[in-house]
Structures are given as structure tokens and as C-alpha cells.
Amino acid sequence: MVLCSFLAAVGLYVCAVWLYENLRTPLLLTLNSLKEFVFRRKLSQRYGKWAVITGSSDGIGKGYAHYLARKGMDVVLVARNEAKLTKVAAEIKAKYGVETKVVVADFSKGADVFPLLEKTLVPLDIGILVNNVGVSHDTPKYVDEVPQQILWDLINVNVGAATLLCNILAPAMKRRRRGLIVNVSSMASIGPTPCLATYAASKAYMTSFSVALCEELRPFGVEVQTVRPGFVHTNMTDFIVTGLKDKFFKDYLVRVDNFMAYAGCTIGKVDLTCGHWSHGLQTAGLYLLPEFVRVFIFGMINKKLRDAIYAAKKKNTFEQQKHLTEMLMLACATFALIGAYCSACWLHDNLRTPMLLCLGVLKQLFQQQPFSEKYGQWAVITGASDGIGKGYADYLAGKRMNIVLIARDEAKLNRVAHELTKKHAVLTRVIVADFSKGQPLYEHLAKELLPLDVGILVNNVGLSYERGMCVEELPSKTVWDLLTVNMASVTLLCHMLVPPMKQRRRGLIINVSSLSATAPSPYLTVYAATKAYVRSFSMALREELRTYGVGVQTVLPGFVRTNMTKVVATEYKQKFLFKRLVQVDEYIRYAGFTIGKTDHTCGYWSHGIQYTGLQLVPEFVRVLVLKTIYSNLRKPDGV
């Protein structure tokens, strides 16, 4: 009875959280629709005269442009195809009689396009910004099969465009204390997606960024809506219509006009939506499953688009009970089953790592194999001049691996290389590389790394900002540096080194994410979103490479005493966070022990407990917790 009561309580809690997460949007939509019916304020009166829509030459972007023009807003159309833009502008002007502006911008060009956009947009009374522009590869592909330029386009277009436009336009919205930002993410953001790893990771970034930005801008009267559509019939999904004989997926494609009929109704009413009702049902169903099942489902969809993935939902019908006692018993049993199911999922997600560690230790007792034999002769570590990167270099050198150290400070690298050679008698190589320089760097890295037998790649290099900051407070260069260093380095080095690992059928990739990847983090919005990208990308890549004998480990450290947490160490000595800082050598002692034994770890035992605790609470609570932590880091102690 005690166990049944406990499981029922767990089941009741989980049901309440699930119902909150999935019924919040329809309830807010109903209440705000009634409010709109009473007050009847135009969007232009509520937010501002102009709406800016990126990727508006066709598809969902064109749909948003038509919808907002129909609502009486003047529209700025932004895309790279001038002919299409001019045609759409003419259609809108003739049909709705509103003003239109056309801005030709190819976001794949990176930072070069934003000076023109800033000059054009900042003088306008921008009320609504729709960050819709996005790209993907034409069909599902493994990471190493995607051309390098497409990977850059995914980061520049899917991530850079929305981040920089928010950075440019949010200050004016805050001053006017009105405005709405609509960020179009994707249903792919709710789970790492093998064979669409980079695209899904970029959308995980968008969701994390957008939800955190919503909390940052809420006190200033500026709203942020996150849209996570499923399959909509656009150029991006055209291969499903033209390339597949199986009608199963075609039946799930929603037409743009149908999608906009629903998505448009949610504008200004809810902060999180899937746009179309059927996509909302699919998302709600997916959230009933633990993450590893969602990864499996998305992987199956993209690996075998011809197969029917979605299982028919089981329908549980219950006869009407005559007595209240029997009804209560049935409810208790149902909650107990849900509680048992969710407890099993939670235990799987949180005990899987320690169980794999134990099994790995037992396996090592009977099969002791040096890392250099198991994976390869060389370990490549980025950000290796100090902190966690230097710790990994020392640990792997201690395991008799030769080390390639990559960072931007040559003096520090040479000092670390000398220490490793002297201490462990291994070969070392130094590569001076500033990952903020972007694409030109990787040709030099390929020349240096591809001739080597690289067994382990540790993608550790990362940037953050000194203290908590709102998105618009960040210099645009800092934003680009965060994107190119934290995300592009991981993506492009994996793209470079995965093919030889697959050929040799051995190797290990260690991608260092962060505990902040577990939830959107206001005041650390861009950094946390980049780490959500790394986590999603790593877990999807793991499934892509599993059959080739190549391992991928995702590491999610909490607060470790490095240059990145220097502010906490120097200015918050009396604070709770300072007491939770872990020394690098102590962290690496635990994190190093997990190498080759588990594919997902926080590295340190106390960080694992924090991660486990965060998984017990719904996302909005996690966002609130992280918002509280990082808002305290916005100014020095005592100020």
C-alpha cells in the first residue's frame, strides 16, 4: 500500500506537470482570444507600425507576411531572392493596401549582412519581428556527408540571423516598452535527431534562446513567442512530396495556408506554440516519452522515411463505475502506473550513467586495453591552454596518448606541451588557432590533423560572457564569437575527423556542453542556447556513429573554477555559488574516469546530483531557477 501510494503521488505530480505544459497554450489562447474580443486592439496599435519577416519570399515566412498585412501592419520582407521578394511585395500591396519594403539579404554570408539591416530597420517603428529564415540539407544525411559550406549556412542562417536581429531590434522595443518577437523553431528541437543532427541542434538553440529571451524581455513589455512546427509543405520538405512513393509522410504535411490559419491566431496570445493543432498533439505525445525514445523515433524517421513510425495510440476505455470508491481505486491505480512509468524513465535517464560506469569498470578488469590501442595514437583537445581542456590533456597524456593541443595563446600552449612531455614522456603538437576567426581556419586544421591517427577528439573550447547580460547588451562581435567558437568548432571538427574514424571503425568524440543546456537560461541566453545545440548535436551524432564503432560522449559540467567562472571566484566569495565551484583537477579526476565507459555524464558527482534534481521539475521551474542564479551575476557582489 505504501509503495502504491508513493507511485500514485508520483503519477499525480507527473500528470499535473504534463497537463500544465501541454494545456497551458490552449488555455492561454482561449483567455486571450476573449480578451482580444473585448478590447479589439489592432496589432499595429499594440506593438508598432511595421512587421519584419525574414525568409519571406515563400513558405511560412510568406504566410506570416500575408497574415500580418491582412491585420493592417506594414511589412518589411527580408530574403535573398530579390525577384521573389518583389513579387510578394506587389501581391501584398495590391491585396491589402499596406506599405511594403524589400531588403535583400543572404544570411549565409554571416556578419556582413547586418550593417545594412541595422541601417534599414532601426529607424522604423518595428512592432513585430518574425525570425523565420532557415535552411536544412536537402535530405536527411549523416554529419560527415553534409558539405562543410552547408554546415556553416545552418549556423549562420538558423542561429546567427535570429540572434543578431534580436540583438539589433530589442533595444528599441525595450525603450518603447512594446513589441513582439516571433522565433520559428521546429518540433525537431524537442529531441536530438540523427541524420538531421545539425539542423535539429540549431532548432534546440532557437527554442532555448527564445524561451530565455522571453523571460529577459517580459519586464519591459516586450513579448517573445516560440513556434515549433512539425512537417509543413515548404521548399524544405519538398523532397517528401517529390522523392517518396510512400504516402504516409505526405499525409502528415500541412499546407502553409492551413498552418497560418492556426499559427496566426496565436500571435500575441501565447508564448509557446506548435502553430498547427496536429503538431501540438504530436508534441504532447512525444513528451510522454523519455528522451532516448524520442531520439530513436526521430532517428528512425530520418533513416527510414518509408517506414511507418508512429504507432497507433492505445485507447483505454473504462466502464462507468457505480460506486465512488471503485472510481477512486481506478484513478489511484492509473496514477500509480503513470508514476511507475515516469519513475522508470527518470531512473533510466539518471541511473544509466552510474550503471554504465560500473559495467565499464568490470569490463576493464577483464579486458585492459590502452586508450591508444582502443581508439588511436593521438588525442586532440581544443581550448587546451588552461582549465578543463588542459585537465583533459594531462589526463589523456597520463593514459599514454600523444596530445595535440589547440588554442589561441601560443605561449600558454608551449608551456602546457613542455609540462606534458616532461611529466608523461609523450609526443605533443601545438596548433595555434583562434576559433572566432571562423571558416578560413579549418583548412589549416585539416592539413595538420588528417594525417594523424586521431583516436580521441575533445571539443572543449568555449566562450561565455563575464557576468549575466541581456541579449541586446552583448556586442554583436561577442555574439558571433559565441556562435563560431561554441558551436561551429564542434560541428566542423566532427565533420572533419569523423570520416577517418569511421574508416578505422574506432574512435571517441568528447563534446563538452554545460549543465545550462538542461533549460533556457535568462541573462546567459546565447551561451546556454549554444550548449543546448552541443548537447542535441552530440546525442544525435552518437546514434549516427554507433554502428561504426565510434563513440560520442556528451559532458555537462556545472560550475568549475576556470577563467570562465573567474567573476564568481573573485567577486562572490561569500555567495552560495562560490562554495559550489569545483577545482579543475578534482573535476577531471571524475570526468576522466568516465571516458570510454558512458556516453552521457556531468563529469563530477555533485553536478550529476544537480542534473538529477533539475530533471525532477518542469521546464518553467528550471528556467526560474537559472534566471535567479544568473540575475545575481549581473552585477558585482555588494553593488
Side-chain angles (χ1 to χ4, degrees), residues 55 72 154 195 226 306 348 540 576 584:
L154 280 159
C195 293
T226 309
R306 65 182 180 276
H348 172 273
F576 175 81
V584 170

Side-chain angles (χ1 to χ4, degrees), residues 213-232:
L213 185 64
C214 180
E215 293 301 315
E216 282 190 13
L217 298 182
R218 193 189 301 277
F220 299 94
V222 180
E223 300 169 28
V224 181
Q225 182 187 67
T226 309
V227 185
R228 300 186 295 185
F231 283 114
V232 179

Side-chain angles (χ1 to χ4, degrees), residues 585-601:
D585 55 351
E586 194 175 356
Y587 178 82
I588 289 296
R589 191 182 312 125
Y590 287 88
F593 181 72
T594 69
I595 293 173
K597 302 183 183 73
T598 176
D599 52 30
H600 193 278
T601 179

